[in-house]
């Protein structure tokens, strides 16, 4: 039996461990994938710090890309019906919805599934095959996982730039509040979610995309990658009011048709409400972890007659759409420029760099 390495969260707030696990047989209806790329998401940092209630010990990594290593009995095609063979490059949805709870069965909201099982988040090593996270040499994908082949010619690191942020924003912009042709869009936040929001808004036909974030080096990288028409540094601004006034001026003084919050900072919410035009929309995507309360003036919602919409996570269908968009995304934007790669044994440094904001997108490779 072969053995694979995996990065394990054993105790909150403690250094992660690189352990070895036996590679299990491919399950019926599933597969074993050689996980060549595991994205480091802000959620992983929250998991390590104990901000979310998850079982441990746990192999981390809910974003991944790899090659098919073994196919289980009955597994012959990907979610699109394309034939699968050993060696094919694939990505997979991080979660499996149960299909039976009230949100799944009645409300048709699988992202709100009450029993959602997520690789790298709530599949502990003592209840599932140990290799159930992408920060590993191999991952065991269970029956029901949405697996999709990556189009030929796509740089794996480019695909990983928005591995989680991309399908998250596909959900937000396809179902929750689409971008309309000719709109002015303001994006708050210049991390992966914010950059995915800006890139997809541009592909969707926005006339102008204004990226508000920081620090300046991150905005410069976004500009070099071709993402966003205007870049406003609110993080490094001596006076945030001046930075916000610059944003309003870029919208022609009326505010944006659509403002997308992708910061994860509660204080950004009140600012974002004031950046939308009267009759506009505010789409909140970045508050995935409960970072606390903030003060909001409800008059701004009523006075501006805003549609305020939240969007949570993504499904396999959204991942399929993201992967399908990769040729268009990589033709227009230099996504690989956003990625910093680390070897699997450098997981501690990668997580520390993400925590410090020293990199835009960290990816573990094995």
């Amino acid at each position: 039996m072969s053995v694979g390495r995996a990065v394990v969260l054993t105790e909150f707030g403690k250094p992660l461990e690189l352990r070895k696990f036996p590679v299990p047989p491919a399950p019926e209806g599933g597969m074993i994938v050689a996980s060549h790329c595991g994205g480091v998401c802000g959620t992983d940092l929250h998991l390590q710090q104990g901000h979310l209630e998850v079982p441990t010990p746990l192999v981390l990594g809910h974003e991944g890309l790899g090659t098919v290593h073994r196919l289980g009995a009955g597994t012959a095609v990907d979610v699109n019906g394309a034939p699968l063979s050993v060696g094919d490059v694939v990505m997979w949805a991080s979660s499996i919805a149960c299909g039976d709870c009230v949100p799944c069965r009645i409300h048709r909201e699988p992202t709100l599934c009450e029993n959602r099982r997520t690789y790298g988040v709530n599949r502990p090593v003592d209840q599932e095959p140990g290799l159930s996270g992408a920060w590993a040499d191999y991952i065991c994908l269970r029956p029901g996982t949405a697996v999709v082949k990556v189009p030929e010619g796509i740089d794996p690191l480019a695909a990983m730039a928005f591995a989680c942020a991309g399908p998250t924003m596909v959900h937000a912009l396809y179902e929750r509040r689409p971008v309309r042709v000719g709109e002015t869009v303001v994006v708050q936040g210049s991390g992966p979610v914010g950059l995915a929001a800006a890139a997809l808004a541009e592909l969707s036909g926005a006339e102008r995309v204004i990226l508000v974030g920081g620090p300046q080096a991150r905005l410069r990288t976004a500009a070099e990658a071709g993402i966003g028409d205007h870049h406003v540094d609110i993080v490094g601004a001596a006076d945030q009011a001046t930075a916000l006034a610059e944003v309003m001026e870029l919208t022609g003084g009326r505010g944006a048709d659509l403002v997308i919050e992708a910061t994860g900072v509660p204080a950004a919410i009140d600012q974002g409400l004031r950046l939308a035009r009267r009759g506009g929309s505010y789409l909140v995507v970045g508050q995935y972890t409960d970072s606390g309360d903030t003060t909001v003036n409800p008059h701004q919602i009523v006075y501006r007659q805003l549609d305020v919409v939240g969007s949570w996570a993504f499904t396999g269908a959204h991942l399929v759409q993201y992967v399908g968009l990769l040729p268009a995304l990589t033709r227009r934007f230099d996504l690989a420029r956003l990625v910093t790669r680390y070897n699997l044994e450098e997981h501690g440094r990668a997580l520390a760099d993400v925590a410090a904001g020293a990199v835009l997108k960290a990816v573990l490779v094995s």
Side-chain angles (χ1 to χ4, degrees):
M1 180 178 291
S2 57
V3 173
R5 303 168 301 161
V7 179
V8 181
L9 170 63
T10 58
E11 188 176 349
F12 299 126
K14 301 294 184 181
L16 306 175
E17 297 181 10
L18 190 62
R19 294 185 180 180
K20 292 183 178 179
F21 291 85
V23 180
E28 183 176 355
M31 67 187 74
I32 303 297
V33 171
S35 180
H36 299 311
C37 298
V40 182
C41 178
T43 300
D44 295 310
L45 182 62
H46 291 299
L47 291 173
Q48 190 269 339
Q49 294 174 342
H51 296 165
L52 298 170
E53 293 185 13
V54 297
T56 58
L58 173 74
V59 176
L60 289 177
H62 58 276
E63 310 175 11
L65 178 149
T67 56
V68 176
H69 181 66
R70 297 176 191 151
L71 291 170
T75 306
V77 297
D78 75 352
V79 71
N80 288 320
L84 279 176
S85 302
V86 171
D88 285 342
V89 180
V90 296
M91 297 181 77
W92 55 92
S94 55
S95 298
I96 303 175
C98 73
D100 293 324
C101 67
V102 169
C104 284
R105 181 168 41 87
I106 304 298
H107 299 153
R108 291 170 289 180
E109 291 282 6
T111 61
L112 305 182
C113 174
E114 296 170 350
N115 306 303
R116 201 165 60 132
R117 303 305 305 277
T118 302
Y119 295 105
V121 176
N122 60 5
R123 291 183 176 272
V125 299
D126 58 354
Q127 294 180 17
E128 302 278 350
L131 295 172
S132 290
W135 292 10
D137 292 322
Y138 300 93
I139 183 170
C140 178
L141 299 182
R142 313 301 296 168
T145 305
V147 179
V148 59
K149 290 174 68 171
V150 176
E152 291 186 10
I154 298 297
D155 180 350
L157 291 182
M160 288 301 298
F162 297 150
C164 179
T168 295
M169 285 311 308
V170 166
H171 176 210
L173 295 178
Y174 184 80
E175 295 179 27
R176 303 299 293 156
R177 203 304 191 168
V179 173
R180 297 163 188 144
V181 173
E183 286 192 317
T184 293
V185 177
V186 166
V187 177
Q188 295 176 278
S190 51
V193 175
L195 297 191
L200 288 172
E202 291 188 66
L203 281 188
S204 299
E207 178 184 347
R208 181 184 301 110
V209 174
I210 304 163
L211 194 60
V212 185
Q216 187 61 48
R218 180 168 290 195
L219 293 173
R220 184 167 55 251
T221 299
E224 290 169 351
I227 299 174
D229 299 303
H230 305 280
H231 306 80
V232 178
D233 183 2
I234 195 169
V235 173
D239 179 12
Q240 289 197 348
T242 301
L244 294 171
E246 179 184 351
V247 176
M248 286 298 292
E249 183 178 353
L250 289 169
T251 70
R254 291 183 173 272
D257 300 292
L258 171 62
V259 179
I260 303 171
E261 184 280 320
T263 66
V265 179
I269 299 294
D270 191 55
Q271 293 178 349
L273 293 173
R274 298 168 189 269
L275 293 175
R277 67 166 173 84
R278 297 189 75 182
S281 300
Y282 192 40
L283 178 59
V284 182
V285 187
Q287 307 292 325
Y288 200 80
T289 300
D290 187 349
S291 297
D293 297 331
T294 190
T295 300
V296 171
N297 184 341
H299 171 67
Q300 295 298 326
I301 299 173
V302 176
Y303 167 72
R304 297 173 191 276
Q305 196 168 289
L306 296 181
D307 291 326
V308 180
V309 181
S311 187
W312 177 263
F314 66 90
T315 68
H318 303 123
L319 174 71
V320 170
Q321 288 175 295
Y322 167 67
V323 173
L325 284 169
L326 280 172
L329 283 166
T330 54
R331 279 195 301 269
R332 184 159 178 178
F333 308 109
D334 185 3
L335 299 189
R337 181 184 290 270
L338 310 178
V339 175
T340 302
R341 55 180 291 166
Y342 300 80
N343 294 327
L344 194 62
E345 55 268 24
E346 298 177 297
H347 56 271
R349 184 164 69 89
L351 205 59
D353 287 348
V354 170
V359 297
L360 210 157
K361 181 63 184 180
V363 174
L364 298 176
V365 297
S366 62

